[in-house]
């Protein structure tokens, strides 16, 4: 009787460890890991009844079409999860979020178009991720940012037309990448990928098959063959404009700045204005062909040719005016700090306020590829001389604004 009771007790102890759905076969490997083999069983969903000790779960080659938030709640210790060659089209957020021990995840050869990328944030130990042969058309720039141990990433045979710059940053362990057989649009938005592949130590499998589908002039060429001259980072020059030098303006100063840009593709011009009382961003021209200005930005007139005008410029408009040139390759900016001086000698005022400031001849500042690569821009100060009040033409007292007394001074970097 005692031996029978011992056997029953042993079964009760081992039962939970060996729990196994009828469609699967479960066994313990030599290294102590518990394997649940459920491949080729014509399963339409993740089976229930799996042991919580399972560390290897094979569900490949079934007919699973959906993964829910609790699909793997029974196997929190799983380290290798094989789901390739199913019909998975829907993956709910949270489906993988709790599998913090996961090292290998295979989702290849499915129908995944949308994926809960936030789930990967908890999988910091992941080493192999296979998502090839799906329907992925895009990836967030930070999709893989938490995968510090990721060694192998398979994204080939999807529908990726572009990749955001920095997609493979913060992957210090990455040694193998597969991105071939994607319909890349080789605009300058993927020019970074060419530069990255030229400098990385990562092995890019079948790199010659990473081909452009568009634009037409590059169709069939490898992404690594995008001509350098097609994609040139912006340069930008900011110029003070006036044809009123050596004259006196009685009806108020109109400050005019002109932003000249160059690059390929042609950069867009954007403006940022910061005064003591406001912050304004203007993305593109706001002056219509009929001369009307958008009411929300009527204080600042921005024209299609890159010129900005501020009529009746006053002390309230003092501040930093930044022109940005933006294209698919990058961004450059240059700033000017505009102030109205209140004494007879604005140069003395400027140097007293900023001892590091120095004089600069000319009426423009420039930012280009040969300049500071940080793109921080220089602090260029335009000081308008505002002398003491004097008699106006009609006998009244009005401030004179001699625009010819323009002073340019180069100061500390912004």
């Amino acid at each position: 009787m005692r031996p029978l009771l011992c056997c029953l007790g042993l079964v009760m102890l081992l039962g939970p460890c060996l729990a196994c759905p009828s469609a699967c076969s479960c066994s313990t490997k030599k290294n102590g890991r518990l394997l649940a083999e459920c491949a080729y069983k014509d399963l339409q969903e993740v089976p229930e009844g799996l042991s919580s000790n399972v560390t290897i779960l094979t569900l490949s080659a079934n007919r699973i079409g959906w993964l829910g938030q609790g699909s793997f709640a029974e196997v929190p210790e799983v380290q290798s999860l094989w789901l390739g060659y199913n019909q998975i089209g829907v993956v709910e957020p949270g489906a993988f979020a709790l599998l913090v021990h996961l090292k290998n995840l295979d989702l290849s050869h499915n129908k995944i178009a949308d994926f809960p990328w936030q789930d990967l944030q908890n999988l910091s130990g992941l080493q192999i991720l296979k998502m090839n042969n799906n329907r992925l058309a895009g990836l967030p720039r930070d999709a893989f940012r938490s995968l510090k141990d990721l060694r192998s990433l398979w994204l080939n045979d999807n529908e990726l037309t572009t990749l955001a710059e920095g997609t493979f940053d913060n992957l210090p362990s990455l040694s193998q990448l597969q991105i071939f057989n994607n319909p890349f649009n080789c605009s300058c938005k993927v020019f970074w990928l060419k530069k990255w592949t030229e400098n990385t130590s990562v092995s890019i499998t079948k790199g010659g098959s990473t081909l452009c589908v568009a634009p037409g002039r590059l169709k069939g060429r490898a992404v690594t063959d995008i001509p350098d001259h097609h994609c040139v980072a912006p340069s930008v020059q900011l110029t003070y404009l006036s044809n009123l030098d050596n004259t006196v303006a009685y009806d108020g100063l109109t400050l005019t700045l002109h932003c000249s840009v160059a690059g390929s593709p042609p950069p867009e011009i954007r403006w940022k204005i910061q005064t003591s009382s406001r912050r304004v961003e203007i993305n593109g021209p706001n002056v219509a062909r009929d001369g009307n200005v958008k009411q929300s930005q009527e204080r600042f007139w921005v024209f299609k040719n890159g010129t900005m005008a501020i009529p009746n410029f006053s002390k309230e408009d003092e501040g930093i005016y930044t022109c940005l040139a933006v294209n698919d390759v990058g961004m450059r900016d240059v700033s000017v700090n505009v102030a109205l001086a209140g004494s007879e000698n604005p140069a003395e005022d400027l140097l007293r306020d900023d001892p590091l400031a120095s004089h600069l001849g000319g009426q423009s500042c420039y930012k280009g590829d040969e300049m500071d690569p940080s793109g921080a821009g220089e602090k260029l100060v335009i000081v308008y001389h505002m002398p003491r009040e004097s008699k106006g033409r009609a006998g009244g007292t009005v401030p004179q604004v001699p625009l010819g007394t323009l002073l340019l001074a180069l100061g500390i970097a912004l």
Side-chain angles (χ1 to χ4, degrees), residues 70-89:
S71 291
F72 304 104
E74 293 182 336
V75 287
E77 304 294 324
V78 70
Q79 298 179 18
S80 296
L81 181 56
W82 310 111
L83 289 159
Y85 292 94
N86 275 280
Q87 299 176 19
I88 300 169

Side-chain angles (χ1 to χ4, degrees), residues 13-157:
L13 288 172
L14 294 179
C17 298
L18 299 177
C20 191
S22 59
C24 307
S25 60
C26 302
S27 61
T28 303
K29 310 294 286 186
K30 292 182 179 180
N31 57 11
R33 294 181 179 178
L34 184 62
L35 167 66
E37 176 63 65
C38 311
Y40 296 96
K41 300 298 182 179
D42 206 31
L43 298 173
Q44 297 185 32
E45 59 184 16
V46 178
E48 297 181 354
L50 290 164
S51 169
S52 61
N53 294 335
V54 167
T55 56
I56 304 172
L57 176 57
T58 302
L59 289 164
S60 305
N62 281 291
R63 294 195 295 124
I64 299 172
W66 168 84
L67 296 177
Q69 185 174 0
S71 291
F72 304 104
E74 293 182 336
V75 287
E77 304 294 324
V78 70
Q79 298 179 18
S80 296
L81 181 56
W82 310 111
L83 289 159
Y85 292 94
N86 275 280
Q87 299 176 19
I88 300 169
V90 176
V91 182
E92 289 188 354
F96 302 104
L98 299 180
L99 304 183
V100 296
H101 302 288
L102 203 59
K103 294 183 178 180
N104 306 304
L105 176 58
D106 181 7
L107 288 164
S108 63
H109 295 273
N110 279 287
K111 301 177 181 181
I112 300 172
D114 295 310
F115 186 79
W117 300 104
Q118 64 273 19
D119 278 19
L120 299 183
Q121 295 179 11
N122 294 333
L123 310 186
S124 57
L126 199 64
Q127 298 177 5
I128 298 175
L129 177 59
K130 295 184 177 182
M131 302 192 74
N132 54 292
N133 294 87
N134 275 284
R135 298 176 181 177
L136 298 173
L139 302 172
R141 181 185 183 277
D142 59 352
F144 312 116
R145 66 179 178 182
S146 62
L147 306 182
K148 305 300 182 183
D149 293 335
L150 191 67
R151 300 197 311 259
S152 182
L153 177 60
W154 298 35
L155 295 169
N156 55 285
D157 293 277

Side-chain angles (χ1 to χ4, degrees), residues 138-145 163-170 192:
L139 302 172
R141 181 185 183 277
D142 59 352
F144 312 116
R145 66 179 178 182
L163 289 170
E165 184 171 0
T167 297
F168 307 121
D169 290 353
N170 303 314
W192 72 270

Side-chain angles (χ1 to χ4, degrees), residues 282-345:
I282 305 175
N283 297 325
N286 62 5
V287 179
R289 291 184 177 182
D290 59 6
N292 291 326
V293 184
K294 294 180 182 178
Q295 188 174 1
S296 61
Q297 299 168 346
E298 61 184 5
R299 189 74 192 91
F300 308 99
W301 299 358
V302 177
F303 298 86
K304 188 175 182 180
N305 67 351
T307 296
M308 171 186 282
I310 304 98
N312 298 313
F313 190 87
S314 66
K315 294 288 287 185
E316 294 181 356
D317 300 312
E318 289 182 336
I320 300 172
Y321 290 74
T322 302
C323 174
L324 300 94
V326 182
N327 68 7
D328 291 339
V329 187
M331 183 273 289
R332 287 285 184 174
D333 66 83
V334 67
S335 298
V336 62
N337 193 344
V338 185
L340 291 171
S343 77
E344 295 289 344
N345 193 337

